[in-house]
mmCIF file with all atom_site columns, all heavy atoms in Angstrom:
data_model
loop_
_atom_site.group_PDB
_atom_site.id
_atom_site.type_symbol
_atom_site.label_atom_id
_atom_site.label_alt_id
_atom_site.label_comp_id
_atom_site.label_asym_id
_atom_site.label_entity_id
_atom_site.label_seq_id
_atom_site.pdbx_PDB_ins_code
_atom_site.Cartn_x
_atom_site.Cartn_y
_atom_site.Cartn_z
_atom_site.occupancy
_atom_site.B_iso_or_equiv
_atom_site.pdbx_formal_charge
_atom_site.auth_seq_id
_atom_site.auth_comp_id
_atom_site.auth_asym_id
_atom_site.auth_atom_id
_atom_site.pdbx_PDB_model_num
ATOM 1  N N   . SER R 1 287 ? 13.869 12.053 -45.662 1.00 83.00 ? 287 SER R N   1
ATOM 2  C CA  . SER R 1 287 ? 14.917 13.003 -45.376 1.00 83.00 ? 287 SER R CA  1
ATOM 3  C C   . SER R 1 287 ? 14.926 14.151 -46.318 1.00 83.00 ? 287 SER R C   1
ATOM 4  O O   . SER R 1 287 ? 15.131 15.311 -45.947 1.00 83.00 ? 287 SER R O   1
ATOM 5  C CB  . SER R 1 287 ? 16.297 12.277 -45.412 1.00 83.00 ? 287 SER R CB  1
ATOM 6  O OG  . SER R 1 287 ? 16.515 11.737 -46.702 1.00 83.00 ? 287 SER R OG  1
ATOM 7  N N   . VAL R 1 288 ? 14.620 13.905 -47.623 1.00 85.00 ? 288 VAL R N   1
ATOM 8  C CA  . VAL R 1 288 ? 14.548 14.971 -48.604 1.00 85.00 ? 288 VAL R CA  1
ATOM 9  C C   . VAL R 1 288 ? 13.322 15.887 -48.324 1.00 85.00 ? 288 VAL R C   1
ATOM 10 O O   . VAL R 1 288 ? 13.469 17.133 -48.357 1.00 85.00 ? 288 VAL R O   1
ATOM 11 C CB  . VAL R 1 288 ? 14.499 14.434 -50.050 1.00 85.00 ? 288 VAL R CB  1
ATOM 12 C CG1 . VAL R 1 288 ? 14.257 15.517 -51.047 1.00 85.00 ? 288 VAL R CG1 1
ATOM 13 C CG2 . VAL R 1 288 ? 15.767 13.759 -50.408 1.00 85.00 ? 288 VAL R CG2 1
ATOM 14 N N   . ILE R 1 289 ? 12.223 15.251 -48.039 1.00 89.00 ? 289 ILE R N   1
ATOM 15 C CA  . ILE R 1 289 ? 10.994 16.085 -47.715 1.00 89.00 ? 289 ILE R CA  1
ATOM 16 C C   . ILE R 1 289 ? 11.241 16.939 -46.506 1.00 89.00 ? 289 ILE R C   1
ATOM 17 O O   . ILE R 1 289 ? 10.898 18.133 -46.447 1.00 89.00 ? 289 ILE R O   1
ATOM 18 C CB  . ILE R 1 289 ? 9.778  15.108 -47.540 1.00 89.00 ? 289 ILE R CB  1
ATOM 19 C CG1 . ILE R 1 289 ? 9.424  14.495 -48.846 1.00 89.00 ? 289 ILE R CG1 1
ATOM 20 C CG2 . ILE R 1 289 ? 8.644  15.935 -46.934 1.00 89.00 ? 289 ILE R CG2 1
ATOM 21 C CD1 . ILE R 1 289 ? 8.363  13.511 -48.739 1.00 89.00 ? 289 ILE R CD1 1
ATOM 22 N N   . GLY R 1 290 ? 11.889 16.383 -45.440 1.00 90.00 ? 290 GLY R N   1
ATOM 23 C CA  . GLY R 1 290 ? 12.156 17.077 -44.279 1.00 90.00 ? 290 GLY R CA  1
ATOM 24 C C   . GLY R 1 290 ? 13.109 18.263 -44.456 1.00 90.00 ? 290 GLY R C   1
ATOM 25 O O   . GLY R 1 290 ? 12.848 19.345 -44.001 1.00 90.00 ? 290 GLY R O   1
ATOM 26 N N   . LEU R 1 291 ? 14.137 18.050 -45.259 1.00 90.00 ? 291 LEU R N   1
ATOM 27 C CA  . LEU R 1 291 ? 15.119 19.157 -45.612 1.00 90.00 ? 291 LEU R CA  1
ATOM 28 C C   . LEU R 1 291 ? 14.420 20.192 -46.449 1.00 90.00 ? 291 LEU R C   1
ATOM 29 O O   . LEU R 1 291 ? 14.574 21.425 -46.233 1.00 90.00 ? 291 LEU R O   1
ATOM 30 C CB  . LEU R 1 291 ? 16.320 18.562 -46.310 1.00 90.00 ? 291 LEU R CB  1
ATOM 31 C CG  . LEU R 1 291 ? 17.413 19.624 -46.703 1.00 90.00 ? 291 LEU R CG  1
ATOM 32 C CD1 . LEU R 1 291 ? 17.893 20.344 -45.498 1.00 90.00 ? 291 LEU R CD1 1
ATOM 33 C CD2 . LEU R 1 291 ? 18.525 18.922 -47.413 1.00 90.00 ? 291 LEU R CD2 1
ATOM 34 N N   . ALA R 1 292 ? 13.594 19.756 -47.365 1.00 90.00 ? 292 ALA R N   1
ATOM 35 C CA  . ALA R 1 292 ? 12.817 20.739 -48.272 1.00 90.00 ? 292 ALA R CA  1
ATOM 36 C C   . ALA R 1 292 ? 11.950 21.642 -47.398 1.00 90.00 ? 292 ALA R C   1
ATOM 37 O O   . ALA R 1 292 ? 11.855 22.886 -47.608 1.00 90.00 ? 292 ALA R O   1
ATOM 38 C CB  . ALA R 1 292 ? 11.965 19.927 -49.283 1.00 90.00 ? 292 ALA R CB  1
ATOM 39 N N   . LEU R 1 293 ? 11.213 21.061 -46.399 1.00 92.00 ? 293 LEU R N   1
ATOM 40 C CA  . LEU R 1 293 ? 10.319 21.837 -45.597 1.00 92.00 ? 293 LEU R CA  1
ATOM 41 C C   . LEU R 1 293 ? 11.158 22.814 -44.678 1.00 92.00 ? 293 LEU R C   1
ATOM 42 O O   . LEU R 1 293 ? 10.726 23.960 -44.483 1.00 92.00 ? 293 LEU R O   1
ATOM 43 C CB  . LEU R 1 293 ? 9.458  20.922 -44.670 1.00 92.00 ? 293 LEU R CB  1
ATOM 44 C CG  . LEU R 1 293 ? 8.375  20.068 -45.448 1.00 92.00 ? 293 LEU R CG  1
ATOM 45 C CD1 . LEU R 1 293 ? 7.662  19.128 -44.516 1.00 92.00 ? 293 LEU R CD1 1
ATOM 46 C CD2 . LEU R 1 293 ? 7.380  20.983 -46.182 1.00 92.00 ? 293 LEU R CD2 1
ATOM 47 N N   . MET R 1 294 ? 12.315 22.337 -44.227 1.00 93.00 ? 294 MET R N   1
ATOM 48 C CA  . MET R 1 294 ? 13.157 23.300 -43.437 1.00 93.00 ? 294 MET R CA  1
ATOM 49 C C   . MET R 1 294 ? 13.669 24.420 -44.340 1.00 93.00 ? 294 MET R C   1
ATOM 50 O O   . MET R 1 294 ? 13.751 25.609 -43.837 1.00 93.00 ? 294 MET R O   1
ATOM 51 C CB  . MET R 1 294 ? 14.392 22.486 -42.825 1.00 93.00 ? 294 MET R CB  1
ATOM 52 C CG  . MET R 1 294 ? 13.931 21.660 -41.682 1.00 93.00 ? 294 MET R CG  1
ATOM 53 S SD  . MET R 1 294 ? 15.346 20.968 -40.719 1.00 93.00 ? 294 MET R SD  1
ATOM 54 C CE  . MET R 1 294 ? 15.894 19.660 -41.784 1.00 93.00 ? 294 MET R CE  1
ATOM 55 N N   . ILE R 1 295 ? 14.047 24.104 -45.515 1.00 92.00 ? 295 ILE R N   1
ATOM 56 C CA  . ILE R 1 295 ? 14.497 25.150 -46.391 1.00 92.00 ? 295 ILE R CA  1
ATOM 57 C C   . ILE R 1 295 ? 13.388 26.164 -46.713 1.00 92.00 ? 295 ILE R C   1
ATOM 58 O O   . ILE R 1 295 ? 13.558 27.389 -46.723 1.00 92.00 ? 295 ILE R O   1
ATOM 59 C CB  . ILE R 1 295 ? 15.037 24.532 -47.792 1.00 92.00 ? 295 ILE R CB  1
ATOM 60 C CG1 . ILE R 1 295 ? 16.284 23.800 -47.548 1.00 92.00 ? 295 ILE R CG1 1
ATOM 61 C CG2 . ILE R 1 295 ? 15.267 25.645 -48.883 1.00 92.00 ? 295 ILE R CG2 1
ATOM 62 C CD1 . ILE R 1 295 ? 16.725 22.947 -48.821 1.00 92.00 ? 295 ILE R CD1 1
#
Side-chain angles (χ1 to χ4, degrees):
S287 61
V288 171
I289 292 175
L291 180 57
L293 292 177
M294 285 192 283
I295 292 171

